[in-house]
Amino acid sequence: MLKCAELSKIYNDGVAALSNLTMRLTPGLVYCLAGPNGSGKTTTLRLLAALLHPTSGTIHYNDAKIDFNDLAYKSRIAYLPERCGFYHRFSGKWNLNFYLSLFNVKPDQEAVSHYSRLLELEPYLTKPVGAYSFGTKQKLALLRTLALQPAVFLLDEPFNGLDIESQHNAKQILRALCDQNKIILVSTHQISAIEDILDDLIIIYKGNKILDMDMAEVRKAIKADPELQSITDFYLAHVKGAQNENQ
């Protein structure tokens, strides 16, 4: 289990990106972290990945408070940023192996082949990344994240640039990882696109958590309110409510 308590982050310029965030992420479930631009989603992921130090608050993994310099903890985490860097002159395979070497991870060729087929990436792995489309680069970013085979996946807009079939395959991968008891937190604006695999919806607004609800309860709430026709309506209603409270 991964959990945080009263987690806050104030940057050096005085911007409060996150305020007293408390949440609990259970293995075997897919969590969605949603919110408007600038609400603190990426900051949350980077804190959980131990890439940022919080201003205050704590993070616990399997009931042990994490040490932000602990490589053992970081080896259990795979963080996929919204924008990934590659060496464009080199092949996808070279980039993959180089990335894994930074974490002292030896590639599991069977797993790499499996995920490459599902992401329809195999024909591109021998080609230079500079020749890739944006969507193909995103597939490579997903592949190298999956190849780490961590216990926790922290994914920032993982479906950006993916076509419908690739999104479907990527979602099936995430559900399969749940069956392996992995912890999965996805930050995205595309809530409706991944609604079918979600177990829990978390919404933050201006650094504050305004909702943490099981998807079964979300669907009940949508069904009970004639003004809500979709999960997008549900999300917008809560964000608008937070905006009104902040006026």
Side-chain angles (χ1 to χ4, degrees):
M1 180 179 291
L2 181 62
K3 58 185 179 180
C4 61
E6 302 296 317
L7 200 62
S8 297
K9 178 63 179 179
I10 301 174
Y11 288 103
N12 291 337
D13 59 4
V15 173
L18 202 64
S19 301
N20 301 316
L21 176 66
T22 296
M23 65 180 183
R24 180 187 303 246
L25 307 177
T26 303
L29 301 177
V30 178
Y31 294 82
C32 176
L33 182 64
N37 292 332
S39 61
K41 301 185 299 298
T42 296
T43 295
T44 299
L45 295 184
R46 289 176 60 81
L47 286 168
L48 293 176
L51 297 175
L52 286 177
H53 287 255
T55 304
S56 60
T58 58
I59 300 172
H60 286 76
Y61 177 69
N62 289 344
D63 295 325
K65 183 178 178 180
I66 73 164
D67 178 346
F68 281 78
N69 297 311
D70 182 9
L71 295 179
Y73 170 72
K74 292 183 178 182
S75 70
R76 299 184 180 98
I77 306 293
Y79 168 58
L80 173 67
E82 183 176 3
R83 296 178 181 84
C84 296
F86 299 101
Y87 290 93
H88 284 193
R89 290 189 300 162
F90 297 99
S91 69
K93 184 176 181 180
W94 186 94
N95 272 272
L96 171 65
N97 290 335
F98 176 74
Y99 182 79
L100 295 180
S101 72
L102 297 176
F103 297 87
N104 294 318
V105 173
K106 185 177 180 180
D108 181 331
Q109 295 302 333
E110 184 176 348
V112 169
S113 295
H114 172 67
Y115 291 129
S116 296
R117 286 194 302 273
L118 288 175
L119 293 171
E120 299 180 329
L121 194 55
E122 281 184 307
Y124 300 93
L125 288 178
T126 57
K127 298 179 181 180
V129 172
Y132 287 14
S133 67
F134 177 78
T136 303
K137 289 177 183 176
Q138 188 68 6
K139 291 179 184 180
L140 181 60
L142 277 169
L143 176 62
R144 70 183 191 182
T145 304
L146 293 164
L148 289 172
Q149 301 192 71
V152 180
F153 289 87
L154 304 172
L155 310 175
D156 198 348
E157 295 291 355
F159 305 110
N160 268 358
L162 298 188
D163 57 40
I164 293 175
E165 184 176 358
S166 297
Q167 285 189 28
H168 172 77
N169 292 339
K171 289 191 294 182
Q172 296 312 304
I173 290 171
L174 295 186
R175 284 312 318 179
L177 290 170
C178 284
D179 294 338
Q180 300 172 30
N181 231 27
K182 305 294 187 180
I183 295 172
I184 302 174
L185 177 62
V186 179
S187 172
T188 183
H189 293 295
Q190 303 177 49
I191 309 173
S192 58
I194 64 169
E195 179 183 0
D196 54 329
I197 65 165
L198 293 183
D199 297 293
D200 193 276
L201 175 62
I202 301 165
I203 302 175
I204 57 177
Y205 177 78
K206 290 189 175 180
N208 295 285
K209 184 176 74 174
I210 60 174
L211 182 90
D212 188 345
M213 185 178 288
D214 178 272
M215 281 302 297
E217 295 301 315
V218 171
R219 294 185 182 100
K220 285 182 182 177
I222 294 172
K223 189 175 181 180
D225 190 335
E227 294 187 3
L228 303 179
Q229 301 298 315
S230 66
I231 193 170
T232 300
D233 292 340
F234 179 85
Y235 163 82
L236 291 173
H238 280 80
V239 170
K240 185 175 181 180
Q243 290 172 338
N244 291 336
E245 289 179 4
N246 278 268
Q247 288 179 350

